[in-house]
Amino acid sequence: DAGVTQSPTHLIKTRGQQVTLRCSPKSGHDTVSWYQQALGQGPQFIFQYYEEEERQRGNFPDRFSGHQFPNYSSELNVNALLLGDSALYLCASTLTGGGTPEAFFGQGTRLTVV
Amino acid sequence: AQSVTQLDSQVPVFEEAPVELRCNYSSSVSVYLFWYVQYPNQGLQLLLKYLSGSTLVKGINGFEAEFNKSQTSFHLRKPSVHISDTAEYFCAVRETSYDKVIFGPGTSLSVIP
């Protein structure tokens, strides 16, 4: 049973560029959430996708956007990168309306903006 | 709105000594509670969870936690720590009717040989 997989594992981008991160949820899960974890801090909720739509959103600017595909996989896009966007980006999957309520996390994508 | 407080940002403890990592939360509805562990350069691994029922829950690696509704606390404990327990520990809360998980700022546990 594959867990949550994220790609790439590491990424270096230049300020002002755009980046796309990818996530495949755990088998049987239909909901994907994205989190940003800055160094030395707890994960901060960015947004959540369910049925290919954004269901909830945290306090992040519109530069952060996402997408969910029919196979439940998801992308996180960040435009006009700032130095402060450097962080570990975590994807979590859950099953809405059933199963156990804990979120399963991927290993994350380490984004460095220079 | 939900929030999670972890009172200790860093906890040093000698090997084989007991440890308690504190967590308090605020929410206006019933919640699920979790403890996750994060080893360097890795994602989050679930240690244990409280859903309902018994207030004492046991998790992996010998950890346990006790839910106290009146004090809105969910403290994590281990009777004897090992070097391998050195990691970052996050307390998290999720409202029953929503999937969003809110994390605390984390507690860095350092086990000293």
Side-chain angles (χ1 to χ4, degrees):
Chain A
D1 179 22
V4 180
T5 58
Q6 293 187 242
S7 63
T9 56
H10 295 83
L11 204 52
I12 300 176
K13 288 287 189 178
T14 303
R15 190 172 47 185
Q17 285 188 315
Q18 179 264 343
V19 68
T20 297
L21 311 181
R22 295 175 176 81
C23 171
S24 292
K26 178 179 169 64
S27 179
H29 284 186
D30 59 6
T31 304
V32 173
S33 301
W34 287 92
Y35 292 81
Q36 180 194 67
Q37 186 180 19
L39 201 60
Q41 296 184 24
Q44 299 295 312
F45 175 74
I46 302 175
F47 45 53
Q48 180 186 89
Y49 276 83
Y50 172 67
E51 292 189 338
E52 302 180 46
E53 292 192 359
E54 183 182 291
R55 182 163 67 176
Q56 295 184 58
R57 189 178 182 90
N59 188 27
F60 279 80
D62 292 344
R63 297 187 298 109
F64 289 78
S65 63
H67 188 77
Q68 186 179 34
F69 299 93
N71 66 352
Y72 308 121
S73 66
S74 176
E75 289 182 348
L76 164 65
N77 301 293
V78 186
N79 295 321
L81 285 167
L82 304 174
L83 297 179
D85 294 331
S86 294
L88 180 67
Y89 288 84
L90 295 164
C91 170
S93 75
T94 51
L95 175 62
T96 291
T100 54
E102 68 265 34
F104 290 83
F105 284 82
Q107 293 293 89
T109 295
R110 173 72 63 185
L111 172 65
T112 303
V113 182
V114 298
Chain B
Q2 302 170 80
S3 67
V4 179
T5 303
Q6 293 181 246
L7 298 173
D8 307 302
S9 59
Q10 297 184 358
V11 174
V13 61
F14 286 103
E15 192 174 16
E16 297 184 4
V19 69
E20 179 179 81
L21 306 184
R22 296 179 292 171
C23 171
N24 289 88
Y25 69 94
S26 67
S27 176
S28 57
V29 299
S30 61
V31 295
Y32 299 125
L33 294 161
F34 310 94
W35 275 98
Y36 285 87
V37 61
Q38 185 176 39
Y39 300 101
N41 300 313
Q42 293 192 25
L44 298 171
Q45 180 183 6
L46 181 69
L47 269 181
L48 48 77
K49 61 189 176 187
Y50 171 79
L51 308 181
S52 64
S54 173
T55 57
L56 182 64
V57 293
K58 295 187 182 298
I60 63 172
N61 301 339
F63 284 94
E64 64 180 31
E66 186 158 17
F67 169 58
N68 187 318
K69 187 175 183 178
S70 63
Q71 297 186 3
T72 60
S73 67
F74 190 53
H75 300 332
L76 180 70
R77 296 192 291 259
K78 186 169 182 177
S80 175
V81 295
H82 300 127
I83 296 292
S84 59
D85 293 324
T86 295
E88 194 79 17
Y89 291 80
F90 294 97
C91 182
V93 62
R94 177 189 166 202
E95 289 185 348
T96 308
S97 58
Y98 293 95
D99 281 340
K100 182 174 65 178
V101 178
I102 302 299
F103 287 87
T107 296
S108 178
L109 174 63
S110 297
V111 180
I112 306 165

